[in-house]
Amino acid sequence: VKIVRSIRKMQLLSRDARLRRKSIGFVPTMGALHAGHLSLIRRARLDSDIVTVSIFVNPTQFGPHEDFKKYPRMLSRDAALCRKEGVDFIFYPSAAAMYPKGDKTFVTVEDLSSKLCGLFRPGHFKGVTTVVAKFFNIINPDVAYFGQKDAQQAIIIKQMARDLHMPVSIRVLPTVREKDGLAMSSRNLYLSEAERRGAVVLSQAIREARQMIQKGVRNPRLVIAKMKALIRKKGNTRVDYVSIVDICGLNPVQRIRGKVLIALAVWMGKTRLIDNSTVEVPYA
Ligand code: AMP
């Protein structure tokens, strides 16, 4: 695996691969790689001739009081994992190079970016779409891989690629979980032992919701109330949101039918965790 820090160099390597008619699979990450990231990398390795993984803790997607500074950084460990997975390039740029002094251009997907997490993290998705658009211009991938773990992010990126006619397909892969159900996340490293045990409540609440819906409950308010009650029972939690929304517009549904997204964001102590699941029920 080759670690590429220079944007120009990365662009030349991507162009060279393209000229040799190699397909490029791209996995954007913020590093501190775990099995969730590895599932995306493995898929890319199966699909593409060249696999590029970016590792970049993107400052523009963090709010002023968020965890940008303390976000885990472990390049040599990540590089060893990438090498083992047969990754060709790790793109590891500096923030100064990604955001040149005097830059004035940002990419915003309107409407979708202000729902769910966007309400609690203003500017977050603008940071995400801007950096991913930059990556696409530097890496020129045929396929880019994203996790269902960040469902809203995946929906927003798809919308961006479609609206801007970006010549890339977006593939979304299932959430990888710990044995007890907790969705893997680099932020799980922040959790104390007690918080880690409590964090299982996110996936438990989703499981409870799925069971209620399977038993025929169609009123989202009843499902959400049950989920919130479960979460509240665990100490040291604070709910940002628990929502059941349509998967196109991310708007709260009045009744559960068709395909809906159950999504939640919950603070475990000082750590903000998210999880989600889609559910499909017949329209009748
Ligand atoms: P991050 O490094 O957290 O920005 O995540 C990089 C990519 O990995 C994003 O597309 C995430 O959705 C995806 N990802 C993170 N955690 C998981 C997980 N538990 N399962 C599947 N994909 C994940």
Side-chain angles (χ1 to χ4, degrees):
V1 65
K2 187 176 165 59
I3 300 178
V4 182
R5 290 181 162 80
S6 147
I7 292 174
R8 188 76 197 124
K9 188 80 203 290
M10 191 70 247
Q11 276 169 329
L12 290 173
L13 286 164
S14 304
R15 188 171 70 183
D16 176 64
R18 285 260 171 180
L19 286 172
R20 290 184 290 119
R21 299 186 172 255
K22 304 289 187 196
S23 61
I24 301 176
F26 171 47
V27 182
T29 82
M30 299 207 297
L33 302 181
H34 51 65
H37 299 116
L38 298 185
S39 77
L40 305 183
I41 291 170
R42 283 176 193 151
R43 185 70 247 171
R45 186 65 283 166
L46 289 173
D47 292 347
S48 303
D49 299 318
I50 302 288
V51 175
T52 299
V53 173
S54 63
I55 297 181
F56 180 60
V57 184
N58 174 33
T60 64
Q61 71 188 69
F62 289 81
H65 305 293
E66 290 184 356
D67 56 340
F68 174 69
K69 276 220 175 93
K70 74 164 180 180
Y71 199 86
R73 289 159 170 92
M74 39 184 85
L75 178 64
S76 52
R77 173 189 164 280
D78 288 347
L81 287 169
C82 286
R83 182 175 310 117
K84 219 171 103 209
E85 298 299 335
V87 170
D88 296 280
F89 302 116
I90 295 174
F91 180 48
Y92 186 73
S94 70
M98 286 298 283
Y99 296 99
K101 233 182 157 73
D103 63 345
K104 294 176 175 28
T105 309
F106 297 87
V107 179
T108 307
V109 173
E110 291 181 6
D111 180 56
L112 295 176
S113 296
S114 52
K115 308 268 166 73
L116 302 176
C117 281
L119 272 176
F120 297 88
R121 305 184 70 190
H124 167 69
F125 289 112
K126 179 185 178 184
V128 170
T129 40
T130 298
V131 81
V132 171
K134 286 173 189 259
F135 285 149
F136 285 180
N137 282 332
I138 296 164
I139 288 156
N140 213 330
D142 296 274
V143 189
Y145 297 83
F146 294 86
Q148 175 67 23
K149 159 84 192 327
D150 300 278
Q152 185 177 12
Q153 168 175 281
I155 288 167
I156 288 171
I157 298 284
K158 278 188 191 167
Q159 185 79 43
M160 172 185 78
R162 171 182 172 275
D163 292 354
L164 296 181
H165 311 288
M166 291 172 157
V168 54
S169 353
I170 306 300
R171 287 200 56 174
V172 182
L173 300 188
T175 303
V176 176
R177 297 175 180 283
E178 303 282 359
K179 274 211 186 74
D180 66 355
L182 174 66
M184 291 203 180
S185 164
S186 305
R187 289 192 168 95
N188 293 349
L189 294 170
Y190 299 152
L191 301 171
S192 70
E193 266 178 51
E195 289 167 348
R196 170 62 190 85
R197 282 193 298 277
V200 71
V201 77
L202 279 85
S203 57
Q204 278 172 346
I206 287 174
R207 181 143 38 93
E208 178 67 31
R210 294 179 63 96
Q211 280 167 3
M212 285 177 78
I213 294 167
Q214 202 178 359
K215 284 184 191 146
V217 180
R218 293 292 177 265
N219 181 345
R221 283 186 302 274
L222 295 177
V223 178
I224 290 167
K226 182 71 201 262
M227 293 174 76
K228 285 184 173 168
L230 257 177
I231 295 162
R232 221 175 296 123
K233 267 201 293 186
K234 292 263 189 234
N236 207 9
T237 56
R238 200 182 83 231
V239 170
D240 265 359
Y241 65 83
V242 176
S243 300
I244 303 182
V245 299
D246 73 273
I247 56 156
C248 303
L250 301 178
N251 294 308
V253 297
Q254 296 308 310
R255 203 177 149 68
I256 297 167
R257 54 184 181 168
K259 202 168 180 186
V260 298
L261 178 73
I262 307 170
L264 74 173
V266 176
W267 290 86
M268 277 298 313
K270 290 189 181 344
T271 304
R272 187 177 183 274
L273 301 175
I274 58 173
D275 201 349
N276 72 85
S277 173
T278 56
V279 187
E280 191 158 11
V281 296
Y283 262 92

